[in-house]
Amino acid sequence: MSNFSKYNPLVYTVKGLCRVCYTCVRECPVKAIKIINGQAEIIDERCIACGNCVIVCSQGAKTYYSSIEKVENILSNNRQKILCVAPSFAAEFSVIDDYKIFVGMAKVLGFDLVTEVSFGADLVAQAYKNVFENEKIKSVITSDCPAIVNYIKQYHPELVEFLAPIVSPAIAIAKVLKEKYGEDSQLVFVGPCVAKKAESNSFDENLTFSELRIMFENHKIGSENVEKLEFDKPISGQGAFFPVNHGLLKSIDKTEGFGNGEVITAEGKTKFREAIQEFENGVLKNQHLELLCCDGCIEGPGMSVKGGKLVKRMKISEYVKSKLNNLDEKEWEREKKEYSDIDLSRTFTANDQRLPEPSIEEIETVLVSMGKIQDKDMLNCGACGYETCKAYASAVVEGLAETEMCLPYAIEKLHKSNEELHLSNKQLSDTKSALKQSEKLASMGQLSAGIAHELNNPLGIITLYSSILKDELSAKSEIFGDIEIINEQAARCKTIVEGLLNFARKNKVNLKEVNIVDFIKKSFKSFVKPDNIDLEFNCELDNTIVSIDSEQMMQAITNIEKNAVDAMPNGGKLSVNIKDKGDDFIIEITDTGEGIAKENLEKIFTPFFTTKSMNKGTGLGLPLVYGIIKMHKGKINVKSNNDLKQGSLGTTFIITLPK
């Protein structure tokens, strides 16, 4: 028999296949699974080998130790080889109408003898009957299911003394076969149970029905053309009822209580735990417990046929009825008597695997870290694999779970990360745009300075002589109007050149402390406000003293305010709001004008770009504003809407400056 340990586990995770769905965590009755590096790893020392995780894992990430290779080695030697078949074989190989065909297949595989474990169940049933009828024994817990035994030893060690001191049917038949066929015989158990592989060293190796099927397939052994053979002795009787609910009582041929105690049966991962808990709490006084970890052995993890529990029960019943109808009762009774003196006693040692109970403070700390503060935050959705949020938080404290296992928390965290990523992307995009604009403005500044210097002198001469000609000509002269146009356009060109020079020269600021409230109010006097436009000003700063270059900043603010007025030819409202932002302050200048088209928003800070008529704009105002703000180590953003379907029309310039 294989020796199992942390380095040679009975049940384990196939790394890479686990999709971390937490189904195995949810189904494990003892929470012997820990999420490590994105994989649901089984904690060997806590595992009771029930195999629930193997049953529920749709990815095949949970599996158990395969005994096929070792059994193949056994079959290849010259010693007598005996296959001991658990009574649930009738449910596993239900398509085989005659059990004798199954026996024939096993012998073709290489076994010399094929016997039934149910004879061991017959002997064990008599031992239980003696215990149940003993007036001195008030309560006992059946010990034929190794997963139940493991559970009590590891998680209810105080109840070990109540475990029936009786071997399981498998161990009982092993003792019988060793006595009947010799100690040198090699025994192989086959059944639906994974925990049987580690139950005792009574067998040389243990197979599951799934593994036996694989061996049949590997050797191309089918039910066709196989000799029908009877099970080898000893023959069995009612012990074949063992794998179903109330199987022990049926094997004893009793359905009511014994002595002072009534036998209560429970099967399945939830019901058996509830029964044990009530037994420990004293609710079930003077009661005997017949427990199965699975929903009957016919639902064990070593069964290859999943589901159809009622059909499986029917197949077991049909097999047992057929068996009992043809049973040689005299021979059966004789063999039971022959082996009645075999020692079926057994002792158990506690193996406490309980973890220290986390404190309320530790649990609350974990819950708060996941945003679970009030009762309404405790969704108890079970997505993490734990029944309640508090149970999950306890598992986190115990090191069995991670905070990322909470689906609502993970989704909220993902949304937050997405928002932060979106904000980072926006900031990066804004920074790239600002850098691109700065590079463009720097190049334009150099170009503007060169152009301005080259044009300044010729423009001065044109302006001078056009003015002289205008003064010398009579207003009635035919060319007076032409000279006047030349003079006006030369003056306009001079204004543009001055703008270019200003744009090129803005490369440093002279910071001084200024009262921003007085500063903004002063800016309102720098432009002509039509009567149909309302002004609104609001300041939220506690300390209104800021450091700016008042001359340059006045030029920037009034430029935006003038543009706002120009955008509202039919009237509207111009609002200036100053807000606090930690070490910065924000100036928001909003108009209710016609708005800026989306396709123009990216161009408004480009030199010489303007949507105004030829004589009203040079396209240098906003680039100049942009440069001034950047020299103050600030930021300027624009929000605008020119589509009524999208909401109110208007534009807002948002200027962020250090205090």
Side-chain angles (χ1 to χ4, degrees):
M1 174 184 164
S2 301
N3 294 316
F4 300 106
S5 66
K6 179 180 180 180
Y7 304 102
N8 184 37
L10 174 54
V11 185
Y12 59 94
T13 298
V14 181
K15 294 185 177 180
L17 294 182
C18 178
R19 302 288 294 276
V20 202
C21 64
Y22 310 132
T23 303
C24 57
V25 177
R26 187 177 303 111
E27 293 298 320
C28 179
V30 295
K31 298 298 182 267
I33 295 175
K34 180 178 181 179
I35 307 302
I36 305 174
N37 298 325
Q39 298 283 289
E41 299 280 1
I42 295 170
I43 306 172
D44 183 65
E45 60 271 19
R46 289 180 58 82
C47 179
I48 62 172
C50 65
N52 274 331
C53 58
V54 177
I55 295 173
V56 301
C57 183
S58 62
Q59 303 300 310
K62 297 294 177 291
T63 189
Y64 52 84
Y65 175 86
S66 173
S67 302
I68 293 176
E69 184 178 350
K70 288 193 174 183
V71 173
E72 292 283 8
N73 291 335
I74 290 173
L75 292 175
S76 65
N77 65 42
N78 296 322
R79 294 165 61 185
Q80 182 170 243
K81 298 164 283 289
I82 305 175
L83 181 66
C84 306
V85 183
S88 48
F89 83 93
E92 170 67 24
F93 296 93
S94 57
V95 295
I96 300 176
D97 295 328
D98 191 340
Y99 70 89
K100 295 178 182 179
I101 294 176
F102 169 78
V103 176
M105 291 170 64
K107 290 196 173 183
V108 171
L109 189 61
F111 289 100
D112 301 304
L113 300 172
V114 181
T115 63
E116 289 190 274
V117 173
S118 50
F119 181 76
D122 290 330
L123 299 180
V124 168
Q126 182 59 48
Y128 272 106
K129 183 178 181 181
N130 295 337
V131 169
F132 291 158
E133 291 180 343
N134 189 332
E135 296 285 343
K136 295 180 180 180
I137 301 176
K138 304 298 182 183
S139 300
V140 73
I141 302 173
T142 58
S143 59
D144 49 289
C145 175
I148 293 291
V149 171
N150 291 339
Y151 179 77
I152 291 175
K153 286 164 59 178
Q154 295 175 209
Y155 299 99
H156 292 271
E158 295 83 1
L159 300 183
V160 166
E161 61 179 298
F162 292 98
L163 283 170
I166 302 171
V167 298
S168 68
I171 297 175
I173 192 62
K175 289 176 177 285
V176 169
L177 295 176
K178 287 289 185 179
E179 183 173 315
K180 185 176 183 66
Y181 295 107
E183 291 291 334
D184 191 51
S185 299
Q186 288 191 289
L187 306 182
V188 175
F189 170 86
V190 62
C193 183
V194 170
K196 283 289 184 187
K197 288 176 177 280
E199 183 183 28
S200 76
N201 57 2
S202 299
F203 292 91
D204 293 277
E205 203 52 65
N206 296 271
L207 286 172
T208 61
F209 285 133
S210 297
E211 290 173 313
L212 182 60
R213 276 189 180 274
I214 293 172
M215 293 184 71
F216 282 151
E217 291 172 4
N218 290 344
H219 289 268
K220 295 180 171 55
I221 299 173
S223 58
E224 307 83 9
N225 303 319
V226 174
E227 184 181 0
K228 295 182 180 180
L229 299 172
E230 186 62 70
F231 277 111
D232 293 290
K233 291 185 177 182
I235 62 174
S236 63
Q238 290 175 301
F241 277 120
F242 240 77
V244 297
N245 193 13
H246 298 284
L248 173 59
L249 295 181
K250 289 181 180 179
S251 298
I252 300 174
D253 199 19
K254 279 279 191 177
T255 55
E256 64 269 358
F258 294 86
N260 294 326
E262 181 183 347
V263 179
I264 295 176
T265 63
E267 59 181 24
K269 69 180 183 70
T270 300
K271 291 181 179 179
F272 89 74
R273 285 183 295 161
E274 290 175 351
I276 289 174
Q277 192 62 59
E278 291 181 3
F279 184 91
E280 187 172 48
N281 293 340
V283 177
L284 303 177
K285 290 184 178 180
N286 299 327
Q287 309 291 315
H288 303 306
L289 298 184
E290 180 192 357
L291 305 177
L292 291 174
C293 184
C294 303
D295 289 324
C297 295
I298 55 176
E299 292 294 308
M303 299 283 285
S304 64
V305 180
K306 308 301 181 186
K309 182 179 179 181
L310 295 179
V311 175
K312 292 177 182 178
R313 286 179 63 92
M314 181 186 70
K315 288 294 182 180
I316 295 290
S317 297
E318 289 176 353
Y319 169 68
V320 176
K321 287 178 182 178
S322 172
K323 183 180 185 64
L324 294 179
N325 288 337
N326 298 291
L327 179 65
D328 184 343
E329 290 196 29
K330 287 185 178 180
E331 179 62 16
W332 177 48
E333 292 292 345
R334 186 195 67 77
E335 288 189 316
K336 284 202 298 180
K337 185 176 181 181
E338 179 182 352
Y339 299 105
S340 60
D341 59 346
I342 283 183
D343 183 12
L344 299 180
S345 64
R346 187 182 183 188
T347 59
F348 302 95
T349 304
N351 178 25
D352 196 349
Q353 292 296 326
R354 293 173 297 183
L355 297 173
E357 195 74 24
S359 67
I360 295 176
E361 291 76 16
E362 289 175 316
I363 293 173
E364 288 180 348
T365 299
V366 173
L367 291 172
V368 169
S369 72
M370 296 186 292
K372 299 179 184 294
I373 301 170
Q374 303 178 30
D375 288 342
K376 66 178 182 179
D377 300 324
M378 310 296 176
L379 301 181
N380 299 326
C381 63
C384 60
Y386 292 86
E387 293 180 2
T388 66
C389 292
K390 289 185 178 179
Y392 166 55
S394 295
V396 173
V397 176
E398 292 166 343
L400 300 177
E402 299 175 341
T403 53
E404 289 75 12
M405 291 168 62
C406 177
L407 183 60
Y409 171 70
I411 292 174
E412 185 177 338
K413 191 175 179 181
L414 179 61
H415 286 165
K416 187 176 180 180
S417 296
N418 284 339
E419 289 174 2
E420 291 175 352
L421 182 60
H422 177 72
L423 180 60
S424 297
N425 286 337
K426 187 177 184 304
Q427 290 174 342
L428 179 60
S429 177
D430 291 345
T431 302
K432 286 175 67 177
S433 298
L435 180 60
K436 185 177 179 181
Q437 185 70 17
S438 296
E439 291 174 347
K440 186 188 297 183
L441 290 177
S443 299
M444 290 300 298
Q446 294 175 357
L447 178 63
S448 298
I451 293 174
H453 283 296
E454 291 297 325
L455 291 178
N456 217 17
N457 290 334
L459 274 175
I461 294 172
I462 293 171
T463 302
L464 175 63
Y465 282 100
S466 64
S467 296
I468 293 172
L469 286 173
K470 182 181 176 183
D471 291 340
E472 291 179 351
L473 287 173
S474 169
K476 297 179 180 180
S477 173
E478 293 181 358
I479 63 172
F480 183 84
D482 296 331
I483 296 299
E484 190 174 39
I485 291 173
I486 292 171
N487 188 258
E488 288 175 356
Q489 293 304 313
R492 182 171 180 270
C493 287
K494 185 178 180 183
T495 301
I496 293 173
V497 169
E498 288 175 352
L500 286 172
L501 286 172
N502 285 333
F503 176 70
R505 289 169 183 163
K506 300 296 182 183
N507 54 12
K508 62 180 180 178
V509 291
N510 182 21
L511 298 178
K512 292 183 179 179
E513 288 189 346
V514 174
N515 187 312
I516 193 64
V517 173
D518 295 339
F519 177 83
I520 294 297
K521 289 180 178 179
K522 184 178 179 181
S523 73
F524 292 155
K525 299 177 181 179
S526 300
F527 62 90
V528 178
K529 182 186 79 66
D531 293 336
N532 60 354
I533 291 179
D534 297 325
L535 282 178
E536 184 180 90
F537 174 55
N538 180 51
C539 179
E540 299 176 4
L541 296 182
D542 293 329
N543 182 5
T544 58
I545 303 300
V546 297
S547 295
I548 58 174
D549 185 321
S550 59
E551 182 181 339
Q552 292 193 44
M553 191 57 67
M554 181 62 72
Q555 187 176 0
I557 297 299
T558 55
N559 195 302
I560 296 173
E561 290 172 340
K562 288 177 182 178
N563 284 346
V565 170
D566 291 341
M568 298 183 286
N570 298 319
K573 182 169 72 173
L574 172 61
S575 304
V576 179
N577 293 303
I578 302 177
K579 300 178 180 179
D580 200 340
K581 190 184 178 184
D583 294 333
D584 300 330
F585 69 99
I586 298 172
I587 303 174
E588 291 184 353
I589 303 173
T590 303
D591 66 64
T592 57
E594 55 195 21
I596 303 170
K598 284 185 178 180
E599 61 270 19
N600 292 333
L601 273 176
E602 293 183 359
K603 306 174 186 176
I604 60 174
F605 295 117
T606 302
F608 302 113
F609 174 79
T610 181
T611 57
K612 295 180 181 180
S613 59
M614 182 177 294
N615 294 324
K616 288 191 175 181
T618 63
L620 290 173
L622 287 178
L624 183 64
V625 170
Y626 186 92
I628 292 171
I629 300 303
K630 286 300 176 182
M631 283 189 291
H632 278 76
K633 297 181 180 179
K635 294 186 294 184
I636 181 168
N637 295 301
V638 185
K639 294 191 299 184
S640 188
N641 177 44
N642 71 332
D643 185 357
L644 274 173
K645 294 179 181 179
Q646 302 296 323
S648 301
L649 301 181
T651 302
T652 299
F653 280 81
I654 305 166
I655 300 170
T656 304
L657 296 167
K659 292 179 180 178

